[in-house]
Amino acid sequence: MDETRSHWLATVERFRRAPHEPDDGQMWSRSLETAGRDELRAIQDEKLRAAVPYAYECIPFYRQRFDAIGLAPADIASVDDLGLIPLTTKQDMAADLAEYPPWGSYTAVDDATWLERGWQTFMTSGTTTGPRMFRYTDFDRRTWEWANARAMWAMGFRPGRDVALIAFGYGPHVWLWGVHHAMNLMGIPIVTAGGLSSAMRARLIESARPTILACTPSYALYLATLMRDIGIDPAASSVQYLFCAGEPALSVPATRARLERVWGAQLHEFYGCTEAAPTAGAFTCAEITAEKDTTVSMHVADDTHIWEVVDPVTDAPVDDGVRGISVVTNLLSEASPQLRFVVGDYTALTRERCACGRTHTRALGGFQGRADDMLNVRGVTLLPTSVEDAVRSVTGVGDEYAIEITTENELDVLTVRVEAMPGTDEALLAAAVHREVRSRCELRPVVEVLAHGTLPPTERKARRVTDLRCVGSTQP
Ligand SMILES: [Zn+2]
């Protein structure tokens, strides 16, 4: 192994405190979780000084980008210099992949490394630029399980008490495998539910009595309905924690409230991406989820990532408290230590200490959906999650909904289709949905109320927006 790679891996390892078990009942790695801001910054600086030469020498994509603007690895001495590195977008990766299939040149894993140290391949969902595959190494497996265990410990998951049912297909998703291995490290048993029907999963919740249900938010609502249909009350089940991924839920107040109500459980989330933050780049803690009346937030892990928020138009970093889109530099990975990768979700950062005692940066409001999903309707820009929040805030509306945008007389028309629960007055429901969408989105929608069970049930990640203004364009 070459020297730069060895130095990088040794640096990551040196800061992987409490790699195998928690320090105490509250913190997996107390010295990292409660480190002062100066110490966290010093850790970031030192890791960055190892990561940048590594990326330059072992990742052709970054070498080419640095050379193109005359930037040398030694120019990046601390976090203060981070802005000298150009942002990398999904589109940049897609273009690179087209030139260097099948892996792209933005990875530190070549064929020899893969055969010597390879662990698993993972794939992006490909909603924006088509799916991309990543090869991760056994070193990454160990850092993933550790970083995720720290986050799940903060949520309050504990061995000796908790059992997790993972209702995901065991496909190439970073979240699923990262959670699976972290549960193993923590000693929390897993009820394996990949490949089982939803009816079988509903019965498993009764028989195996999991305390943690891990799935997408849409699936949690779908499974709750299915359980009620067969006479099981999800709120009276053993499930105490909904551990969701794949779609925003915590950051959509009405969706969060609905999930927690139907399951009688606390909602927790990880945040990250396959390319640059496959572990818990951000996560909830028990104190954040216990609070129901204030704006939510998520901890970002400062010692394993550098999170920035930038202006979506100018790309310039914005001040703390100002909304922009998320950018991440990975300080943890052998295979994919990306520098300033644009994940692209809206959020704002705060350095204020959390009630749980953790000192790391937090993302205020959580992460509110990708900038790529932003819709422009009659000059008003909105995230589909704003419509979701409006729809789900109305009592009597079913869990499924759909958004369609069309053109009529050269004007955009936003149609929101919802389902009425049996026994609900449809006219009143339509008026309430109209009012809520209008107040959140400043648009007058056309509201269509359908009978319950009309819209196709969402069993996985939901695709709810159809934009018919451009033929063939369907946005996620
Ligand atoms: Zn906290």
Side-chain angles (χ1 to χ4, degrees), residues 154 283-288 297 299 353-358 362:
F283 57 89
T284 44
C285 73
E287 277 72 9
I288 288 169
S297 62
H299 288 274
R353 181 188 289 241
C354 180
C356 72
R358 286 174 180 78
R362 279 179 298 138

Side-chain angles (χ1 to χ4, degrees), residues 167-286:
F168 266 90
Y170 271 61
H173 309 297
V174 291
W175 185 88
L176 163 81
W177 290 97
V179 165
H180 179 98
H181 282 274
M183 294 281 183
N184 292 165
L185 178 66
M186 295 170 83
I188 293 177
I190 297 169
V191 180
T192 313
L196 300 184
S197 71
S198 296
M200 288 171 84
R201 288 170 175 172
R203 294 290 176 204
L204 266 181
I205 288 175
E206 271 205 314
S207 55
R209 300 191 56 75
T211 52
I212 302 165
L213 172 63
C215 58
T216 66
S218 295
Y219 188 76
L221 290 173
Y222 169 80
L223 189 61
T225 303
L226 186 142
M227 285 170 73
R228 282 195 301 259
D229 287 349
I230 58 174
I232 309 169
D233 178 10
S237 75
S238 55
V239 174
Q240 295 169 28
Y241 302 99
L242 290 175
F243 185 16
C244 288
E247 304 162 335
L250 185 83
S251 58
V252 187
T255 296
R256 179 195 184 197
R258 188 172 280 226
L259 281 163
E260 293 192 332
R261 188 179 65 247
V262 298
W263 280 98
Q266 303 274 17
L267 174 67
H268 282 282
E269 275 186 10
F270 272 6
Y271 172 74
C273 65
T274 309
E275 296 93 336
T279 58
F283 57 89
T284 44
C285 73

Side-chain angles (χ1 to χ4, degrees), residues 195-458:
L196 300 184
S197 71
S198 296
M200 288 171 84
R201 288 170 175 172
R203 294 290 176 204
L204 266 181
I205 288 175
E206 271 205 314
S207 55
R209 300 191 56 75
T211 52
I212 302 165
L213 172 63
C215 58
T216 66
S218 295
Y219 188 76
L221 290 173
Y222 169 80
L223 189 61
T225 303
L226 186 142
M227 285 170 73
R228 282 195 301 259
D229 287 349
I230 58 174
I232 309 169
D233 178 10
S237 75
S238 55
V239 174
Q240 295 169 28
Y241 302 99
L242 290 175
F243 185 16
C244 288
E247 304 162 335
L250 185 83
S251 58
V252 187
T255 296
R256 179 195 184 197
R258 188 172 280 226
L259 281 163
E260 293 192 332
R261 188 179 65 247
V262 298
W263 280 98
Q266 303 274 17
L267 174 67
H268 282 282
E269 275 186 10
F270 272 6
Y271 172 74
C273 65
T274 309
E275 296 93 336
T279 58
F283 57 89
T284 44
C285 73
E287 277 72 9
I288 288 169
T289 57
E291 182 57 65
K292 306 298 178 193
D293 298 324
T294 54
T295 305
V296 295
S297 62
M298 291 178 85
H299 288 274
V300 311
D302 285 329
D303 59 296
T304 56
H305 301 80
I306 302 170
W307 286 95
E308 300 173 81
V309 171
V310 304
D311 184 286
V313 177
T314 66
D315 290 346
V318 300
D319 290 336
D320 284 356
V322 177
R323 197 165 177 259
I325 58 170
S326 56
V327 170
V328 68
T329 295
N330 180 294
L331 298 178
L332 192 66
S333 181
E334 176 176 15
S336 201
Q338 306 296 335
L339 307 174
R340 303 197 80 211
F341 178 75
V342 181
V343 189
D345 285 279
Y346 283 93
T347 192
L349 300 180
T350 177
R351 318 284 160 179
E352 204 177 300
R353 181 188 289 241
C354 180
C356 72
R358 286 174 180 78
T359 48
H360 294 230
T361 307
R362 279 179 298 138
L364 283 172
F367 293 86
Q368 294 163 341
R370 310 240 143 138
D372 305 326
D373 298 339
M374 188 70 99
L375 301 168
N376 188 315
V377 181
R378 294 195 189 190
V380 176
T381 52
L382 73 146
L383 280 166
T385 46
S386 306
V387 177
E388 175 174 317
D389 189 41
V391 166
R392 288 192 170 149
S393 71
V394 176
T395 309
V397 171
D399 295 325
E400 301 298 335
Y401 70 95
I403 300 170
E404 188 177 274
I405 307 162
T406 49
T407 311
E408 213 172 274
N409 300 326
E410 296 186 17
L411 278 177
D412 297 336
V413 178
L414 174 74
T415 302
V416 180
R417 296 194 177 94
V418 300
E419 291 182 346
M421 296 304 284
T424 314
D425 183 313
E426 294 191 7
L428 287 178
L429 201 67
V433 171
H434 190 278
R435 186 174 62 244
E436 295 298 330
V437 172
R438 197 179 156 199
S439 81
R440 284 171 179 74
C441 308
E442 295 170 1
L443 280 167
R444 292 165 183 272
V446 173
V447 179
E448 292 179 7
V449 179
L450 311 169
H452 191 243
T454 311
L455 292 168
T458 302

